[in-house]
Amino acid sequence: MRFFSWLFRAAIFFVLFAFALNNQHEARIRWFFGFEFRAPMVLMVLVVFAAGALFGVLAMMPNWWRQRRRARASTEPQTPVTTTAAVPAVSGVTPVLPDVPLGAPPRDGL
């Protein structure tokens, strides 16, 4: 399986490398007031891709922070509830058990 993973990565690398070699011609971006930016096409594509990835990460940051706060709040130790009066043991009364089927597999992480 690892072999196929590395083979896939190598194929992606060579496709992107061929793309870069085929797009070395100069491209122009014309801005307002006659300002013009010239650079190789592959560099422009790389810059636009990086800007889009950065924008996506920045757009997700508030959700990540909110989830971290919620996770941290749920893992903080809660103060134990103490009762003031001891409950006397009653003989002949069966304790109430939770509604969990016997022999059920454990739920990992849920």
Side-chain angles (χ1 to χ4, degrees):
M1 188 65 177
R2 294 182 78 182
F3 173 74
F4 291 118
S5 174
W6 279 105
L7 187 67
F8 180 71
R9 291 176 186 174
I12 293 294
F13 172 77
F14 286 120
V15 166
L16 293 176
F17 187 70
F19 175 77
L21 288 178
N22 287 331
N23 290 297
Q24 287 184 353
H25 61 279
E26 187 176 273
R28 294 183 294 181
I29 296 179
R30 294 185 181 139
W31 297 90
F32 300 109
F33 309 114
F35 180 70
E36 187 175 280
F37 178 74
R38 294 177 186 219
M41 175 66 79
V42 70
L43 181 64
M44 287 187 185
V45 170
L46 179 64
V47 167
V48 169
F49 174 77
L54 180 67
F55 179 76
V57 168
L58 291 176
M60 287 299 299
M61 288 289 252
N63 289 335
W64 288 338
W65 289 338
R66 190 177 310 117
Q67 286 178 354
R68 286 186 66 193
R69 268 188 273 128
R70 286 181 184 164
R72 192 175 297 141
S74 68
T75 58
E76 289 178 356
Q78 302 292 327
T79 57
V81 177
T82 58
T83 58
T84 56
V87 177
V90 178
S91 62
V93 176
T94 58
V96 178
L97 298 176
D99 295 332
V100 177
L102 296 175
R107 296 175 61 189
D108 295 332
L110 296 176

